[in-house]
Amino acid sequence: MKNPLDSAALHAAIENVHHAGVPGLFAEVRDGDQVWRGAAGVADVATGRPVTADMRHRVGSVTKTFTAAAVLQQVESGRIGLDTPIGQYLPKLVPGERGNAITVRMLINHTSGLAEYLPYAYPSLKSFPVLADTRPQSLDDHRYTRFDPAELIEMGVTAPAFAAPGGTPGLYSNTNYLLLAQLLEEVSGTTAELCITRNVIERAGLRDTEFPTGPHINGPHSQLYEAWFGMIDPPRDYSVFDMSYAGPSASLISTVADLNRFFGLLLAGKIISLSSLAQMQRTVTVVSQEGKTIDYGLGLYPMEGPGQGTFWGHGGTVWGGGALAMTRADGKRQMAVAVNLQRWNRFDSSGKPQPHPIDDALEALYRVAMYG
């Protein structure tokens, strides 16, 4: 039987991303029972220690799919209503008319209209979304800061709203997912992290996926290099970082193999029911953190090439690290990629991030990985 995975093309594509400027990256691609794992570059630019495909990695907002799945499990059990106002569950966190107007569904698909709290938690990012006026200083200031999620939520709720609840396009906002974490805590009687661990991570049999309990990553991992649009040169390692600024919106640690296993089981109806999965795949338009308009479901979004099948998954970034996991709708073809550099694009004279060879090289890797 012919191997549907072109190992030579995948190896060349991942090497090209490294040569374009990413210190190190690793990936797993699956097609049915066939598996390709590859890595290129270094995990530590100082020592030259190589990256390997089995490393643990901060996967950023890929966490949102896990959180959304945990919420939908509670919807299935009748403890949460998808179209119930969040004010009925968390009246102190989202009080008054907004609490009555914003539903659980609006939080999961980012149509609540709530602002992003990060520019308020990190003062040097206060000009966001005008990226050219931001500065990276707060990243160092808050490396070991232990944030209170209720305080972060208050920053997002009291900030000027992006839009009225339920309007489109929505705004991709971590405030939404910190509220979902509080909702899980309210209905499960335990922390959101423990609820997601028991009901999603352990249910999927993921052995290398966990929420961090401190600033360090357990097990073999890469350093994470943040360039902040060329303002940190050379890029600085932020692999040691307190992730309480993100919590169950973006703090998960995983591996590319675990991500593929999770999304494969999710799309097969093994984590939530197929009817809940259909709800996850109902998309609306949302403005991403990069200012692009994307289609977004309930903690999932689609990618598709011309004449190709639709893939579902999620991407994520943290300070210095990024990941993308995509699985074809039929579950057969899967890709998970992790990189150890972020915000490599420098600004042009108008303050817009310039294209970088890394962008094209990553797109080429994704094409080979998803479509062969």
Side-chain angles (χ1 to χ4, degrees):
M1 176 182 159
K2 179 179 177 289
N3 189 338
L5 298 175
D6 188 335
S7 296
L10 286 163
H11 180 74
I14 202 169
E15 285 286 347
N16 285 341
V17 180
H18 168 55
H19 292 305
V22 173
L25 70 157
F26 47 101
E28 182 188 85
V29 182
R30 291 180 167 267
D31 195 298
D33 295 332
Q34 304 292 322
V35 181
W36 176 88
R37 294 187 185 99
V42 298
D44 187 328
V45 297
T47 66
R49 175 171 59 95
V51 283
T52 58
D54 60 350
M55 283 182 160
R56 291 184 168 198
H57 195 73
R58 297 198 192 276
V59 299
S61 285
V62 181
T63 311
K64 289 182 172 65
T65 313
F66 288 74
T67 301
V71 172
L72 283 161
Q73 288 174 340
Q74 300 296 327
V75 171
E76 290 174 10
S77 70
R79 295 188 188 95
I80 292 174
L82 202 50
D83 295 304
T84 301
I86 191 62
Q88 289 193 24
Y89 302 106
L90 304 171
K92 291 181 180 177
L93 291 176
V94 194
E97 290 183 13
R98 285 170 101 192
N100 292 328
I102 295 171
T103 66
V104 174
R105 185 192 301 272
M106 291 173 198
L107 295 174
I108 312 177
N109 70 9
H110 296 295
T111 58
S112 70
L114 292 172
E116 172 62 62
Y117 63 79
L118 275 174
Y120 301 91
Y122 286 75
S124 69
L125 309 186
K126 65 179 182 292
S127 66
F128 181 85
V130 184
L131 294 171
D133 293 340
T134 63
R135 295 294 180 267
Q137 180 57 44
S138 297
L139 277 60
D140 292 307
D141 295 342
H142 288 306
R143 186 188 284 266
Y144 298 106
T145 300
R146 198 78 190 150
F147 283 104
D148 179 343
E151 291 178 4
L152 295 174
I153 289 168
E154 186 180 11
M155 293 175 191
V157 171
T158 58
F162 173 76
T168 55
L171 176 72
Y172 188 97
S173 169
N174 286 292
T175 307
N176 294 317
Y177 275 73
L178 286 195
L179 279 163
L180 292 170
Q182 293 298 306
L183 174 61
L184 283 174
E185 197 165 306
E186 180 74 17
V187 301
S188 71
T190 186
T191 66
E193 287 88 348
L194 190 55
C195 177
I196 296 164
T197 298
R198 286 175 177 168
N199 298 331
V200 179
I201 295 170
E202 292 177 0
R203 184 169 177 174
L206 309 182
R207 296 180 179 177
D208 291 301
T209 300
E210 63 182 0
F211 286 100
T213 55
H216 295 272
I217 302 170
N218 294 326
H221 63 277
S222 171
Q223 312 307 102
L224 300 175
Y225 297 102
E226 180 60 55
W228 201 262
F229 308 102
M231 295 181 208
I232 306 176
D233 190 12
R236 192 171 302 140
D237 171 26
Y238 286 119
S239 56
V240 177
F241 210 98
D242 190 301
M243 294 300 295
S244 60
Y245 78 87
S249 75
S251 67
L252 206 61
I253 294 165
S254 190
T255 62
V256 287
D258 269 9
L259 291 182
N260 277 337
R261 177 174 174 82
F262 166 69
F263 281 100
L265 291 169
L266 181 72
L267 291 180
K270 302 287 178 62
I271 306 293
I272 56 173
S273 69
L274 288 173
S275 61
S276 291
L277 178 65
Q279 294 281 350
M280 289 186 91
Q281 293 173 323
R282 285 175 54 187
T283 63
V284 294
T285 55
V286 168
V287 177
S288 74
Q289 286 185 318
E290 295 77 33
K292 298 174 182 173
T293 302
I294 61 171
D295 293 323
Y296 197 92
L298 300 184
L300 273 182
Y301 60 77
M303 284 176 68
E304 52 193 317
Q308 306 284 353
T310 301
F311 283 68
W312 292 91
H314 213 292
T317 68
V318 295
W319 314 134
L324 178 66
M326 284 285 157
T327 292
R328 199 166 64 200
D330 63 6
K332 191 180 178 190
R333 186 87 176 197
Q334 297 188 275
M335 167 195 82
V337 179
V339 300
N340 67 4
L341 176 71
Q342 278 304 298
R343 284 158 283 272
W344 50 76
N345 306 85
R346 292 173 181 259
F347 296 115
D348 62 20
S349 57
S350 68
K352 291 183 179 177
Q354 293 176 292
H356 191 287
I358 291 172
D359 303 315
D360 290 337
L362 272 175
E363 285 296 323
L365 171 61
Y366 299 155
R367 280 197 302 273
V368 174
M370 292 197 289
Y371 310 121

